[in-house]
Amino acid sequence: METELNRKNDKFKAFKVTAVICGLAMVLSFAGCGAKKGTSAKSTYASTTVIKGSENIKPISISSFFENVGKNTGIYKMIHTPTPDEVAAEEASKEAMEIAKAQQLAASEKDLAEHPVAGWQRLVMLAIGFLIVYLGAAKGFEPLLLIPIGFGTILVNIPGAGMGSAPDGMLHIIYNAGVGNEFFPMLIFMGIGAMTDFGPLIANPKTALLGGAAQLGVFATLFGVASMNFIPGIDYNMKQACAIAIIGGADGPTSIYVSGKLAPEMMAVIAVAAYSYMALVPMIQPPIMKLLTSRKERMIKMKQLRPVSKTEKILFPLLLLVVTILLLPPAAPLIGMLAFGNFIKEIGIVQRLSKTVENEMMNIVSILLSLGVGSQMTPEKIMHLNSFGIILLGFVAFCIATMGGLFMAKIMNLFLKEKINPLIGSAGVSAVPMAARVANKVGMSEDPTNFLLMHAMGPNVSGVIGTAIAAGVFISTYGM
């Protein structure tokens, strides 16, 4: 649907609004990062992580990484019987994580009691909430998600309302019911599966490489997070770095899922950044696409995709699930729900279930998930330099992901007889179907008869799978 964001007259306005958001985030970051009495100048917010600093996180070498991932495959777990020592070690690890979470919560409550939130900070957060609502309602920036997030931000920051307070606050109940335990992101993936057509990917499977290449933004961001730690007042550990990096996949539910597993204290700003950059796809991607491709490349016409049979569409989600079970079980929650939603759509004999998942359930869960995310937009979690770093790193990750898909298409064209249009590589990010529409729009701006939409849907849906796989790799490495 055409929104104000896509109209030429509003393009510069959108850039101005984005600049205002970043500027506001920087001001708030510096306003909240000053040292408190009796504390060191080092950011106190980074100390609220599940594990305090990466010094307590087991270092991962290349060999140990592959060993860890190998031991987390379904094949290994099916053929390997754990020894009593391994069972005891796993139980001890789970117990240690629970103790660490309890200590984190206690430390956070103590810090808040000693340094209560100033009234002006809540006033600023209320203004941010109204700004998010404005961007969703007036500018069309992912309105289905940003409007509830904005209202959640407003409601949780109303002084004396207690909507985010434990144990009876409405927003607190919503967060604990489905956001903090990753339940709602699972349901969202089920709905995405019911709305997704994997036909273009099945018809042209080599486009899966483009979706995989777009994950370059996810992994490259890890190095960016490490470099940000040299800035005074900013300090991330590796678990937080993994959660931030997923923003590069432009996948909101996956970002929420990974942050819930690895860095729950950063979930709010990560979710808002992920959904904001998803909304800004029509603004961010076209300049990169035009800069990195020639006019001749943008005018490449691709042959019409072959028809995909019903049997292929039915078997695809089952095959996808089996491969995930065997190779990367930590990604099975996301991909499993995606496969389930797609299967009930393609099988055609449970249309009531498919329509419910695609419409009513998806709408209800989106509202609750967004309100729950908004409930975490409180001053003590947002107003510091780490939050500004997340916004900046998310933007860099998204740009690198777009470039990764474009460059992979160029490399593939060196070996292919039938060339592919590099523009569809930009659709390798998970913003379905907006990224595919942008690729099609840029292609038609060069040649109105060059329809790339269905070709771009291949890397687009493979990007969803690729981001889920990246999430599984991070969780298997640092969260298991």
Side-chain angles (χ1 to χ4, degrees), residues 199-205 303-309 312 455:
L201 177 60
I202 299 171
N204 193 3
K303 290 184 178 180
Q304 185 175 354
L305 295 173
R306 70 170 179 85
V308 177
S309 68
E312 289 176 293
H455 297 286

Side-chain angles (χ1 to χ4, degrees), residues 125-201:
M125 292 307 300
L126 286 170
I128 291 176
F130 280 108
L131 175 62
I132 293 173
V133 172
Y134 168 77
L135 293 176
K139 294 297 180 181
F141 290 12
E142 290 289 332
L144 297 178
L145 298 166
L146 290 190
I147 290 176
I149 288 176
F151 267 91
T153 303
I154 294 169
L155 296 175
V156 78
N157 286 289
I158 297 175
M163 293 193 69
S165 302
D168 299 323
M170 173 188 169
L171 295 178
H172 175 79
I173 293 172
I174 290 175
Y175 179 81
N176 285 340
V179 182
N181 57 14
E182 300 95 37
F183 177 54
F184 290 161
M186 297 295 97
L187 296 181
I188 292 290
F189 255 73
M190 188 191 304
I192 292 173
M195 295 188 295
T196 300
D197 180 10
F198 286 107
L201 177 60

Side-chain angles (χ1 to χ4, degrees), residues 31-89:
C33 70
K36 298 184 177 88
K37 289 184 179 181
T39 63
S40 64
K42 186 177 177 65
S43 172
T44 60
Y45 292 95
S47 66
T48 62
T49 56
V50 175
I51 299 178
K52 295 182 179 181
S54 295
E55 67 276 3
N56 292 328
I57 299 175
K58 183 180 178 181
I60 303 295
S61 64
I62 295 177
S63 59
S64 63
F65 168 78
F66 284 107
E67 180 183 357
N68 198 17
V69 172
K71 289 183 176 180
N72 278 292
T73 62
I75 296 174
Y76 178 84
K77 291 182 180 295
M78 290 175 186
I79 63 177
H80 175 71
T81 301
T83 64
D85 290 341
E86 289 175 338
V87 173

